[in-house]
Amino acid sequence: MARPTLSELQEKYALAKRHRRPFERDWLLNMAYIAGDQYVDYAYDPVARVVQVTNPDNSVRALNNICIQIARTERSKILKNNPVPKALPITESQDDQYAARIVDAYFNHLQNEWNYERRLRTGVYWLVATGNVFFKWYWDGENQMAPISPFDIYPDPYAHQMSDCRWMIHEQFMDVETAKAIYRGRRKANMDAIVETDTASLNPVENKILTNFGVGEANLPGVSLKEYWEPPSKANPKGAYIVYTHAGIVWNDDFPYAHGKMPFTHAGHVERTASKWCASVMDFV
């Protein structure tokens, strides 16, 4: 089976985005309420967006932000027992115990390199605000881990569980020079496809909400790099790893990991029936 073309990739992205759109309303409103913007609503006409609720003339708006208190309490509950990797020896032999100590030391090294506790707190904040967060595990000269916002992940819309996804797209926004530095010197890379992306401008309400969470990039110049991940399957034994922009395919190769698994771990807050997207406790406040 041939790897997807640029037009096929764009169709998959559009389909996944359309399937995800109904959940974004709750994500954005939850983020607004946690940030203290209580007088906002979600409008669908002419485009889906967060808007400020008009304040009647001469009226006084009261504000009692209980949402941030609930969010912080929920985050504290989740982080009460931080998950910490621990290597256990296979047997009681001295060699196995020595090997376990070496692996533990490597785990500690990675946690320091990753700034693990800070990244974990960031991930849990996404978990509480939106009900979903992804952790990406990848190789960049050494094992790496990064928390990923659900706004940046576009999973197979036909899958009922994240673990069942046949493919997944991870969108990353960065300045053009940073993107070029990643692929400069790679013989198969198409550098001509790394050009500035036309991004939709955020309205002042959305810009404030997303900037509070560190994702208000739509008002900045840069390029949107999309990574298409397709693990090996019977239909496509070699899988696919394709990086592309609106201007073309930057990198086109087989799935890079021998284990054949998606490099993403999805964590959900409140499970929904027959849906891979989870809800947040904030949805019920």
Side-chain angles (χ1 to χ4, degrees), residues 59-267:
S59 65
V60 177
R61 281 181 163 172
L63 176 62
N64 180 18
N65 188 1
I66 66 170
C67 292
I68 192 170
Q69 300 171 29
I70 295 171
R72 293 182 67 180
T73 299
E74 194 70 18
R75 187 171 66 160
S76 297
K77 290 179 182 178
I78 296 172
L79 292 173
K80 185 177 181 180
N81 296 309
N82 281 357
V84 176
K86 180 70 176 176
L88 298 176
I90 299 175
T91 69
E92 295 298 321
S93 71
Q94 185 175 358
D95 287 345
D96 285 344
Q97 292 187 36
Y98 183 65
R101 288 197 294 270
I102 293 175
V103 175
D104 267 339
Y106 182 57
F107 284 157
N108 291 331
H109 162 73
L110 289 179
Q111 289 182 72
N112 292 330
E113 289 294 311
W114 293 345
N115 196 359
Y116 175 74
E117 290 188 2
R118 173 61 184 272
R119 293 188 181 187
L120 184 62
R121 289 196 301 270
T122 299
V124 170
Y125 208 64
W126 281 114
L127 182 68
V128 172
T130 70
N132 301 272
V133 68
F134 294 82
F135 291 95
K136 184 178 183 181
W137 313 89
Y138 60 101
W139 178 262
D140 186 17
E142 192 171 36
N143 291 302
Q144 299 289 342
M145 181 273 281
I148 307 296
S149 153
F151 288 99
D152 295 333
I153 297 293
Y154 299 83
D156 175 7
Y158 293 100
H160 292 294
Q161 302 295 329
M162 290 295 178
S163 58
D164 298 333
C165 288
R166 296 167 299 171
W167 53 267
M168 191 173 287
I169 295 173
H170 175 206
E171 184 172 23
Q172 301 178 79
F173 187 85
M174 61 187 73
D175 69 89
V176 174
E177 285 306 312
T178 298
K180 287 183 176 180
I182 296 174
Y183 293 96
R184 188 173 289 118
R186 298 192 185 186
R187 185 173 55 85
K188 296 192 299 181
N190 176 21
M191 303 297 290
D192 293 337
I194 305 178
V195 294
E196 188 171 310
T197 304
D198 291 331
T199 54
S201 296
L202 296 172
N203 63 43
V205 179
E206 291 177 325
N207 187 56
K208 182 180 179 182
I209 294 169
L210 294 172
T211 300
N212 284 334
F213 281 75
V215 289
E217 65 267 5
N219 286 341
L220 296 173
V223 59
S224 177
L225 279 181
K226 299 179 180 69
E227 294 179 348
Y228 173 82
W229 296 86
E230 182 184 330
S233 62
K234 290 182 179 179
N236 187 4
K238 293 185 178 181
Y241 171 65
I242 305 173
V243 181
Y244 69 100
T245 70
H246 69 285
I249 291 178
V250 179
W251 186 261
N252 193 341
D253 209 342
D254 297 337
F255 194 82
Y257 300 127
H259 53 61
K261 304 294 184 182
M262 289 280 195
F264 301 97
T265 299
H266 172 247

Side-chain angles (χ1 to χ4, degrees), residues 45-59:
D45 185 31
V47 294
R49 70 201 190 284
V50 179
V51 296
Q52 195 82 37
V53 175
T54 304
N55 187 23
D57 294 338
N58 302 319
S59 65

